[in-house]
Amino acid sequence: MVGLSTRKINEQIQNYDVVIWWANVPNELPKIRNVKDINYKTMLVSSKRNVDNKHSFQDLLQRSFALKSSLTIEFSKNNDLYSMKLFDPLGNAWYEGTNIKECSKELIDRLNFIKSITRESTVSSEEGIGALAWFFNMFKEEMYKSDSNPTIPVKKVFFNLVKEYASKFAEATFETKDVKRFLGNASFRCPKGFPSFREGKYIFVSKRNVNKEFIGIDEFDPVYLENRRVYCCGDSKPSVDTPIQVRLYELLPNINYMIHSHCYIDGAPFTQKSLPCGAVEEVGEILGLLEKEYNNDLKKDFYLINLVGHGSIMMSKTPEQLMNIDMIGRKLPENQYAKKLVRKR
């Protein structure tokens, strides 16, 4: 953005849901493109000319992280013909081809979808740190603060498993300079045996931006669901997946542990709709898969689920059931546009 004062740009961005930043500005000139810092709810669509194909897809993703883009279009060139690739920060391609009208249609469709997603934020102020934080924080409703201050139980077997899987996730996930978000999160609920808790009330969810390879008891936040509202105890920010997982615990009475990652589980079934982290609609997607793959049995004590275009979630009654699960990295870009074309045929 050039030709406007910073103050004027700040005022204008507050009024728009979407900013498409495709300015052809030489690198030696100053640029104002910190759209998400001005208004975290604004969706930023950036672009990158890659006509000489010198940038890998991982490079393009890293640039999108730096700009905090909700969506990005790569422009490449082959035999004098320009091609476009529309992708999101999770590495999903929503269009790939040479038809600018079709690319524009897919762009608008995805923007409308992102805006329609339901999210619930944590109590403290919105943050912008950590990979993908801007993507998760859009269009949120506030969680509720609780005055409860329960003691977090020691779960050594589970904590050790989380540390072990964090290393596996890091190996299987594509590399970026800041992969904190891509290591996923973990949670557990308090079963019988802890007299200071009411059975089933508290869920302990890993905090945001915690290195899971060194996670311990202090890196979990107590939360609970009451009257369809999520309450969190303490002042830190639990995982963005908290609203999803507390609802899953409520629906699945025999599940006490969950581990979510941005890798796939080898051989596990897939949900149908690609959703970003924190989208409450993921609960419905998971229930739909349980109906199809698990005969709608919500009383099992073990589930393995792949979240298409996103990652996976393991759910179990005991931590021992989560041992030795084979993980595989997502092949990026994951072409959701091609899958959509196949479904139309």
Side-chain angles (χ1 to χ4, degrees):
M1 295 181 182
V2 293
L4 292 173
S5 68
T6 300
R7 181 181 61 82
K8 190 67 174 177
I9 291 172
N10 290 358
E11 291 174 355
Q12 290 189 358
I13 289 176
Q14 299 292 337
N15 298 324
Y16 294 97
D17 292 333
V18 180
V19 170
I20 298 178
W21 205 103
W22 291 7
N24 186 16
V25 181
N27 290 330
E28 62 269 17
L29 295 178
K31 305 173 186 178
I32 300 173
R33 53 190 182 190
N34 59 328
V35 172
K36 304 299 290 187
D37 296 331
I38 298 169
N39 184 4
Y40 74 89
K41 288 189 176 182
T42 298
M43 292 180 284
L44 172 63
V45 182
S46 62
S47 66
K48 180 61 179 177
R49 293 179 75 251
N50 194 23
V51 294
D52 51 7
N53 295 312
K54 70 177 182 179
H55 300 290
S56 68
F57 187 68
Q58 283 75 11
D59 292 335
L60 298 177
L61 276 177
Q62 188 62 57
R63 184 177 182 275
S64 292
F65 293 156
L67 293 177
K68 300 182 179 180
S69 304
S70 302
L71 293 167
T72 299
I73 295 183
E74 172 200 16
F75 291 94
S76 57
K77 195 174 183 180
N78 187 22
N79 297 326
D80 295 325
L81 188 64
Y82 281 95
S83 180
M84 293 147 287
K85 181 184 294 176
L86 171 67
F87 63 91
D88 66 24
L90 286 174
N92 294 295
W94 297 99
Y95 177 80
E96 191 165 3
T98 59
N99 189 323
I100 186 66
K101 290 185 178 179
E102 183 65 20
C103 183
S104 300
K105 176 183 178 300
E106 296 298 329
L107 170 63
I108 293 171
D109 286 349
R110 192 60 189 173
L111 288 171
N112 284 329
F113 178 78
I114 294 172
K115 186 176 180 181
S116 72
I117 287 172
T118 305
R119 295 183 179 90
E120 293 173 296
S121 71
T122 48
V123 176
S124 54
S125 61
E126 295 294 342
E127 64 174 347
I129 61 173
L132 298 184
W134 73 94
F135 195 43
F136 303 148
N137 281 338
M138 293 186 300
F139 311 110
K140 287 185 173 181
E141 300 174 359
E142 288 295 325
M143 275 187 196
Y144 294 86
K145 174 94 177 203
S146 171
D147 293 329
S148 300
N149 189 27
T151 301
I152 302 173
V154 177
K155 295 282 189 176
K156 289 185 178 180
V157 175
F158 182 62
F159 293 168
N160 288 336
L161 266 175
V162 173
K163 294 175 185 178
E164 178 183 329
Y165 275 115
S167 298
K168 293 181 179 180
F169 298 158
E171 293 174 1
T173 304
F174 65 91
E175 294 183 359
T176 68
K177 294 178 182 178
D178 182 357
V179 297
K180 296 185 184 73
R181 292 284 180 187
F182 279 83
L183 295 182
N185 77 297
S187 66
F188 63 93
R189 71 166 143 199
C190 180
K192 294 180 179 178
F194 295 95
S196 60
F197 297 89
R198 284 193 295 172
E199 181 183 355
K201 177 174 181 178
Y202 293 109
I203 308 298
F204 301 89
V205 183
S206 58
K207 297 178 181 179
R208 297 195 196 184
N209 301 320
V210 170
N211 188 334
K212 307 304 188 299
E213 293 181 79
F214 303 99
I215 200 164
I217 190 171
D218 294 332
E219 279 72 54
F220 283 84
D221 284 322
V223 300
Y224 60 92
L225 188 67
E226 188 170 284
N227 297 324
R228 303 186 63 81
R229 294 175 175 177
V230 179
Y231 290 81
C232 53
C233 310
D235 296 321
S236 58
K237 296 176 80 71
S239 164
V240 292
D241 295 282
T242 297
I244 298 163
Q245 294 187 9
V246 294
R247 288 172 169 84
L248 288 174
Y249 279 117
E250 181 184 45
L251 294 166
L252 305 172
N254 292 322
I255 296 301
N256 293 325
Y257 299 89
M258 297 186 190
I259 298 179
H260 163 56
S261 81
H262 285 240
C263 307
Y264 284 147
I265 299 170
D266 193 12
F270 282 82
T271 56
Q272 294 296 309
K273 190 178 296 183
S274 178
L275 294 164
C277 282
V280 177
E281 287 81 359
E282 188 175 289
V283 176
E285 281 290 299
I286 291 174
L287 289 179
L289 186 65
L290 295 184
E291 180 178 2
K292 178 181 177 182
E293 300 291 337
Y294 290 90
N295 298 317
N296 203 29
D297 188 350
L298 305 185
K299 294 185 178 181
K300 287 183 176 293
D301 59 14
F302 183 64
Y303 302 94
L304 297 178
I305 292 174
N306 282 324
L307 308 169
V308 66
H310 180 169
S312 62
I313 185 167
M314 320 173 196
M315 302 183 284
S316 70
K317 183 174 183 178
T318 68
E320 288 78 9
Q321 291 170 287
L322 299 176
M323 292 179 176
N324 302 317
I325 305 299
D326 292 328
M327 310 300 300
I328 54 177
R330 292 175 56 221
K331 293 181 179 180
L332 302 180
E334 188 167 339
N335 199 328
Q336 303 297 336
Y337 179 69
K339 296 178 184 178
K340 181 178 178 180
L341 293 179
V342 170
R343 288 195 296 268
K344 284 183 176 180
R345 291 172 184 168

